Each structure stands twice: as structure tokens, then as C-alpha cells.
Amino acid sequence: MSILASRDTRVVIIGGVAGLNAARRMAQFDFLVNRPLSVQAFVYPPEEGQQKEIYRGGELKNVPVYSSLEEALAENPGINTALIYIGANRAYTAAKEAIEAGSIKLVSMITEGVPEKDAKRLRKLANAKGKLFNGPSSIGIMSAGECRLGVIGGEFKNLKLCNLYRPGSFGVITKSGGLSNEAMWLCAQNGNGVTTAVAIGGDAYPGTDFVTYLEMFEKDPDTKAVVIVGEVGGTLEDEAAEWLAAEKRRIRLIATIGGTCQEVLPQGMKFGHAGAKEGKKGVGSARAKMNALRDAGALVPDTFGGLSKCIKQVYEELLADGSIKPEPEIDEALLPELPLKVQEIMKQGEVIVEPLIRTTISDDRGEEPRYVGYAASELCEKGYGIEDVLSLLWSKKLPSREESEIIKRIIMISADHGPAVSGAFGAIIGACAGIDLPQAVSAGMTMIGPRFGGAVTNAGKYFKYGVKEYPNDIAGFLSWMKQNVGPVPGIGHRVKSVKNPDKRVKYLVDYVKNHTSLHTPCLDYALEVEKITTSKKDNLILNVDGTIGCILVDLDFPEQSLNGFFVLARTIGMIGHWIDQTTQGSKLIRLYDYLINYAVKEEREVPEKK
């Protein structure tokens, strides 16, 4: 048998990340002892409606998150236990609600730093309701072979080392979470393991005491002895001694008290736990507690190191008088193992997994991101700029200083083109409609296409084709384009012309050809095409899309990346427009009637429906 928790225990966890971690540890134990998942629900309003993924061995379970305990209990009527994993400022309210819930019989609280007045009120309420409130600061409760509440017991391998997959004959009560694990291990190594281990928490006013659990162990026929791990401070151990001495008890009691070093330290010094602080030799001192327990008939070693010997002594005596029988040998190889994660199996070379994606540009598995092998911080330290990172991620090469300057100028000169163009206008409308930055910029981005900024890739693509297939035949290239593609991408402008040139184009062409040593076959070809097209119509000039596309081809950027320069550059401007409009508090835009040609029929009477 066990006390407090059994195979019938069903749990709701009140809390977020820490509660999810506990649920996953509990599921490992559920897998080990082959019981259904103990955690049925979470209560955590910020994540209401979500489902938390919990593996029970290799079986994935989805546990729902509710906004209230009432809702969780209504949809999961089997829940009888609540674990509190939220901050000290909200723990009292959560625990109070759980104690008052009719179906919940046990509440255990992991939360540390709970005000003493709150702990006292919760204990009083639990007693009045006939419930049990364990904690605060409790690592949990372990019933071997039955149920695990919280992270008590540690890692999966430790559950096996402590024989927690089956019940033994020793109960354990501690204030310390870490020492509860140690005590369970000692009971497994020197005895036959535990029935139930309870960590009551180290606060000055725990919700329960040693005597409460000693009474439960006394009534449990499978528990033959109980190990208490106490400490300086408080009176719980003295109360346990009084309980033991009051009448003849069925269970054997073994106790160890930490803190005898207190005798050589200043009076009132605190020892880790909130409750571990008392005078040197009076009530609450380690020595006084040890003497009281010995006088009551408990087996008390002088130090914690002697606990193993005491457990072994009691175990052998119980075997000798027939109170317990030797446990049959269990082949631990037959116990289940947690399934390994794919990464672990791959490291062992036992499985090959086809990658879902492949990347050739960046890697963040180390201490920092690396771009085509170069550490991001080192690029910064050695004077590289965003234009160099752009080149690494888009063409997988580190550009020369000249090439970097060209890339930088392309971005700078394309960052914005005023509020009237469709992309900026779309972002402005979004800002005036009150939508957030990403959505407003996305609205502007959707305008990029064949009529606005989307010609950079095709300009570079087709001028590169002309250089290769029609190197000395501009007329032949134009004829081929007319028959197979249509207008030449990168040629033509609605406003600019030979007489009213685009200064951005003039600047880029002049800079690349007269201030760098870049070889520019694609740009040269486009300029020759411009001579032919402008002789037919003076606005068929090489526009900024065509200029950028050709320069980027000459820089050896892949065709697929070329439109990215326009997208990246215009994103800068669109963000600026969103900030500008938001700062001004601009209102929702509605077109004036005079901007719309209402080419509709005159108002007329609606006929009767036939």
C-alpha cells in the first residue's frame, strides 16, 4: 500500500513552465510503473486553450490548459489532487481554491517564499475541510510503484536505482527535497525500498507535520519502519518524539537530525531552509531533538553518515522476526527504458534520418551564429558591415571592399521613393488604419511585383541572357524579347526620360564604371540596349530596376536573389513611413469622392421581384 498518492491519483497542475517540467517527470514515472498518465489538466490563464505535449515513454499525450480550476474539474471529474507551481504572490489564492474544491483531497505546493500568514491560513482551511495541504517548498510526494507527485526522485535512472518501480517497507518524511532523494536511495541500498516518501518543505510553518504522516504510516500495514530526516529549528521532530513515546507503536522509527554544527556557530544562525533557525541548546536545537527521539525509542545515529547502518539494522531485524520477506531478485534489464531522442540515437550511429531541410548559409549550433562559417561577432570586430553579411547569406561569398561599397549604395539609393509609390502608400494606409508594424509593412510588400520593383530579377536575368546569346546583336536580342517575353524588364519609366534622367541610375552607373574596377559586361550591354530603345521613344531608358539587376549580375549574385535587394531596401523605407504616420497619430484614410470616377448607373427604383 501507500499513503497520499496511489494509482487512482489524478492530478491538475496549477502553473506554467515549472509545472510542465514536473508533469513530464511524472509521466516518466507513469511509464516506468505502467500506469495511465497522472496529470489530467493544467490551469494557467495566459495559455488557456493550449495543449501541452507530454511523452509517456514513446507515447505522445496532449494535456489541455484551462483558464480556471472550476473549468478543469468540470471537464476532468476524476481529478483528486492539485499541485501548485506558481509564484508566491498568487500561490495562496490558487491553493485556497483547490482546497475548497469538493473533489480535491490533497494539495501539494512547490512554491517557495510563501508568506507565513498564508501558509498558516491554508493549513487551517485544509484542516477544517478535512483535506491535506503539503508544503510550501515541497519537492513532492513519491509512492513507489504507484504515483509520483512533482519532481521528487530525480532523473529516470535514479527512479530505478532507488527501486521506486515497486513498493518496499520504509516510509520517508523529510523537510529537504534533496535529502528525500538521498533517503530513498539509502532505503533501497540498505533495505528493500520505500512505500511512500513525503517532502513536507522546509518553511517555518508547513501545511502538515511529521505526526500527521506518522499516523498514516502507522495505519499502513505495508510500512514497517519510517525514516525521518529533520533539522534544527521548529518543533516538528519533538512532536514526533512525543507521538512515538505516547504509546506502543507498530512501526519502527529511524531519525537523523541535521545541524549539530550549530553548537559551534553563533546563536540564531539560519541554515538554508526558512524554518532552520533556533538557539544553540534549547528547544529546536539538533542535539535536543536527537535526545528526545532517542528517549522516545527511535533509532538515531550521531550523524547523517550513520543513517545507512541504522536502516540496514532495522531491515535485518524485520527480516529476522518475519515482519517482511526477502524481495525476489528483479532483472533490471527487464524494466522499461525511456525511448532515446533521435539526436541521441544518431550520435550512437544506430539510425539514419533523412534531413527535412538543408541549409548552406548559416549555423547557430555553437555559441553564436556563423554566416557561411564566419562568426557574427568576428565580422563585427573586423569592420565588416551589413552589406557583407548580405553578400554572405545571399551569394555565400565575402565581398571585397569595392563590392561592399557597391552593395551598400544600392541599398541606400533604393531605400525609399517617397509616399506616392504603391508599396509605401500601402504601408501608410496600414499605419493609418492602426495596424501593427509587421502587418503594415507586409501590406506594402504585397505591392512588389512586375509593375513595382519586381523587375530587378528579370532585368538581370534577360540582360545576362543577351550577353550570352546575342553579344553583338542588340537588334536580335530585342526581337527575341518581343517574340518570347514582351517588353524588356528594366527598360522604361513612367516619369523619367532622356531629357529628365533618373539621377539614381546616373549615380550608380558613374560610380561603378568610374570609381571601381568591377568588370561590367551585363551593365554595358544594358546601356547599349538603352541607346536603341531611347531612339524609338525617349522614356524607354534603363531604369533603376534594370541598373541594379545588371550590377548585381556583374557582382555574381544568383538570379534568385536580385529582387531581394529591392525588398530589403524598400522595407527600410516602409518601416520609416509606418513610424512617421504612427508618430503623427494619423487617422484612417478614406478616399475623397473627387478622386474616384463613379462610372455607375444613375440611381433608379428597385423593381418588384418576379
Side-chain angles (χ1 to χ4, degrees):
M1 289 177 63
S2 60
I3 66 169
L4 300 173
S6 70
R7 283 184 174 266
D8 295 326
T9 298
R10 299 293 181 269
V11 178
V12 58
I13 291 182
I14 303 173
V17 175
L20 177 59
N21 177 60
R24 287 173 173 164
R25 292 288 188 91
M26 291 163 66
Q28 291 179 358
F29 181 82
D30 295 340
F31 172 68
L32 176 64
V33 302
N34 192 28
R35 61 155 288 169
L37 199 66
S38 52
V39 177
Q40 303 289 292
F42 292 94
V43 174
Y44 194 58
E47 297 175 358
E48 175 192 7
Q50 295 185 17
Q51 290 191 332
K52 297 302 180 182
E53 296 181 350
I54 298 178
Y55 280 94
R56 179 188 172 278
E59 183 182 12
L60 178 61
K61 298 287 188 178
N62 293 299
V63 178
V65 183
Y66 299 91
S67 63
S68 69
L69 180 61
E70 181 181 12
E71 184 182 4
L73 296 179
E75 294 194 13
N76 302 273
I79 290 175
N80 51 26
T81 300
L83 304 182
I84 311 298
Y85 276 87
I86 56 177
N89 60 329
R90 293 173 293 152
Y92 170 77
T93 302
K96 179 176 181 292
E97 184 180 7
I99 292 170
E100 291 177 339
S103 62
I104 292 179
K105 307 303 179 186
L106 168 66
V107 177
S108 187
M109 181 183 287
I110 186 67
T111 311
E112 297 180 347
V114 175
E116 291 179 0
K117 64 175 184 178
D118 288 348
K120 291 177 179 178
R121 289 157 67 192
L122 290 171
R123 177 171 181 164
K124 182 178 180 181
L125 177 63
N127 290 339
K129 295 283 185 179
K131 310 286 184 73
L132 269 174
F133 171 60
N134 188 63
S137 300
S138 168
I139 195 174
I141 298 168
M142 169 67 75
S143 288
E146 298 276 336
C147 182
R148 177 191 201 181
L149 300 178
V151 300
I152 185 170
E155 299 288 343
F156 188 78
K157 63 180 180 181
N158 196 60
L159 302 179
K160 293 183 177 181
L161 290 173
C162 293
N163 296 342
L164 295 174
Y165 50 83
R166 58 157 178 79
S169 301
F170 290 78
V172 171
I173 315 172
T174 72
K175 290 182 178 179
S176 164
L179 289 180
S180 66
N181 291 344
E182 181 72 11
M184 288 189 290
W185 185 80
L186 292 176
C187 287
Q189 302 305 308
N190 301 283
N192 63 352
V194 304
T195 50
T196 297
V198 186
I200 70 170
D203 285 3
Y205 295 96
T208 43
D209 51 38
F210 289 164
V211 171
T212 298
Y213 296 127
L214 285 171
E215 290 279 7
M216 294 182 183
F217 281 128
E218 176 73 6
K219 296 174 183 177
D220 173 26
D222 289 339
T223 300
K224 308 299 182 182
V226 175
V227 176
I228 287 180
V229 180
E231 63 187 14
V232 295
T235 61
L236 298 187
E237 295 84 355
D238 298 291
E239 293 164 8
E242 291 175 8
W243 175 86
L244 183 64
E247 60 183 84
K248 182 175 177 59
R249 304 296 181 181
R250 181 186 59 81
I251 57 172
R252 300 284 302 275
L253 186 60
I254 307 166
T256 181
I257 309 297
T260 53
C261 61
Q262 180 190 42
E263 295 170 359
V264 296
L265 294 173
Q267 184 172 350
M269 180 171 284
K270 183 179 176 181
F271 290 76
H273 290 156
K277 181 180 178 182
E278 286 297 333
K280 282 189 175 181
K281 295 182 180 179
V283 175
S285 70
R287 190 69 61 187
K289 292 182 179 188
M290 293 169 65
N291 291 335
L293 285 161
R294 281 178 179 147
D295 292 344
L299 187 60
V300 183
D302 290 330
T303 65
F304 186 84
L307 185 58
S308 296
K309 185 177 180 181
C310 291
I311 293 172
K312 188 171 184 179
Q313 175 186 330
V314 170
Y315 177 62
E316 290 176 347
E317 290 173 357
L318 290 170
L319 283 174
D321 66 20
S323 297
I324 59 174
K325 296 180 180 179
E327 291 289 336
E329 290 292 328
I330 294 179
D331 184 358
E332 290 201 4
L334 300 177
L335 294 174
E337 289 287 350
L338 282 180
L340 295 176
K341 294 182 178 179
V342 171
Q343 298 94 319
E344 297 170 328
I345 301 174
M346 289 179 68
K347 284 181 180 179
Q348 296 173 10
E350 296 180 1
V351 69
I352 296 175
V353 178
E354 289 291 334
L356 181 61
I357 63 171
R358 179 174 62 178
T359 181
T360 63
I361 59 171
S362 63
D363 187 345
D364 67 344
R365 292 173 296 176
E367 295 181 355
E368 63 174 309
R370 286 178 286 119
Y371 307 140
V372 196
Y374 298 111
S377 62
E378 290 186 33
L379 289 169
C380 295
E381 289 172 0
K382 295 187 177 180
Y384 289 94
I386 188 64
E387 60 273 14
D388 301 297
V389 171
L390 185 154
S391 181
L392 283 172
L393 295 179
W394 290 10
S395 73
K396 293 186 281 191
K397 70 174 185 177
L398 200 58
S400 66
R401 189 177 296 276
E402 273 191 351
E403 292 169 337
S404 294
E405 287 297 323
I406 295 171
I407 296 168
K408 181 171 70 176
R409 282 163 170 75
I410 287 174
I411 298 299
M412 291 174 64
I413 216 163
S414 308
D416 194 49
H417 197 47
V421 296
S422 57
F425 188 57
I428 289 170
I429 290 176
C432 293
I435 65 175
D436 289 339
L437 174 61
Q439 289 78 17
V441 173
S442 296
M445 284 293 130
T446 60
M447 304 297 174
I448 295 177
R451 296 184 181 179
F452 171 67
V456 179
T457 290
N458 281 339
K461 172 183 176 181
Y462 287 115
F463 282 128
K464 181 180 179 181
Y465 177 83
V467 170
K468 180 180 178 182
E469 301 297 334
Y470 297 92
N472 301 305
D473 184 8
I474 303 296
F477 169 70
L478 291 173
S479 176
W480 182 88
M481 288 293 294
K482 184 177 182 179
Q483 293 176 11
N484 296 278
V485 179
V488 180
I491 293 290
H493 201 285
R494 289 186 61 186
V495 178
K496 301 298 182 180
S497 64
V498 174
K499 297 177 182 178
N500 178 30
D502 189 333
K503 288 189 176 181
R504 299 172 300 170
V505 173
K506 292 295 183 184
Y507 173 78
L508 285 175
V509 171
D510 175 71
Y511 180 78
V512 170
K513 294 189 67 64
N514 298 321
H515 299 278
T516 75
S517 59
L518 181 67
H519 182 52
T520 58
C522 194
L523 179 60
D524 293 341
Y525 191 85
L527 292 171
E528 291 299 318
V529 170
E530 182 188 44
K531 292 177 182 178
I532 303 297
T533 56
T534 53
S535 67
K536 300 177 181 179
K537 197 172 182 180
D538 69 351
N539 72 332
L540 294 179
I541 59 172
L542 178 64
N543 59 35
V544 72
D545 290 5
T547 304
I548 292 173
C550 291
I551 292 172
L552 293 172
V553 168
D554 289 334
L555 284 170
D556 203 28
F557 274 90
E559 289 178 8
Q560 298 91 331
S561 73
L562 305 189
N563 272 355
F565 285 84
F566 189 86
V567 171
L568 175 63
R570 284 304 166 90
T571 299
I572 298 170
M574 291 179 197
I575 290 173
H577 285 295
W578 183 88
I579 294 170
D580 178 40
Q581 298 300 323
T582 304
T583 302
Q584 296 180 59
S586 298
K587 304 301 182 183
L588 182 68
I589 291 176
R590 187 182 190 279
L591 293 180
Y592 294 106
D593 290 348
Y594 57 75
L595 295 175
I596 302 171
N597 176 8
Y598 288 99
V600 299
K601 292 183 180 293
E602 294 293 331
E603 183 178 351
R604 51 185 173 164
E605 184 179 344
V606 178
E608 296 294 331
K609 189 173 182 180
K610 297 180 181 180

